[in-house]
Amino acid sequence: MHDFDAWLIERLTLTGCLIYGDQTPDVHAALGLFQRSLGLPESFVADDLTVHFLRQQKSRDPDSRFVIFHPVPPRAGSRFVPQELAA
């Protein structure tokens, strides 16, 4: 599996948008659900804005505004990114 694809599946699972019940999760549908939950345009692909929000992990302390930004593996070659980013 492509490194970015594995990262994407992990991040979507952590958000609760991807349920890992079957062997072939519908990543495109999970991307759309994640985008809809944030009020983003539903492109069903991991565009720049979607990846920006997937990188964020808020502190578990409800009083904290601290946010960690996780590194993102290279997206070239992933089947879940817009065509212009997949090359």
Side-chain angles (χ1 to χ4, degrees):
M1 179 181 288
H2 191 278
D3 287 345
F4 177 78
D5 295 353
W7 177 87
L8 182 63
I9 289 169
E10 175 188 347
R11 299 305 300 169
L12 286 168
T13 301
L14 289 172
T15 66
C17 291
L18 181 65
I19 307 301
Y20 231 114
D22 31 325
Q23 298 290 20
T24 55
D26 190 343
V27 175
H28 292 287
L31 281 163
L33 180 62
F34 178 73
Q35 291 163 334
R36 186 178 327 124
S37 74
L38 293 174
L40 302 175
E42 292 178 51
S43 65
F44 301 94
V45 292
D47 55 31
D48 289 338
L49 191 57
T50 302
V51 169
H52 171 76
F53 283 106
L54 282 169
R55 291 181 61 209
Q56 298 180 30
Q57 179 178 345
K58 295 181 180 171
S59 170
R60 293 183 182 171
D61 178 357
D63 297 325
S64 175
R65 296 175 64 197
F66 185 72
V67 176
I68 297 170
F69 285 86
H70 292 271
V72 179
R75 293 187 269 180
S78 171
R79 59 192 167 141
F80 303 117
V81 299
Q83 289 295 87
E84 63 271 12
L85 296 175

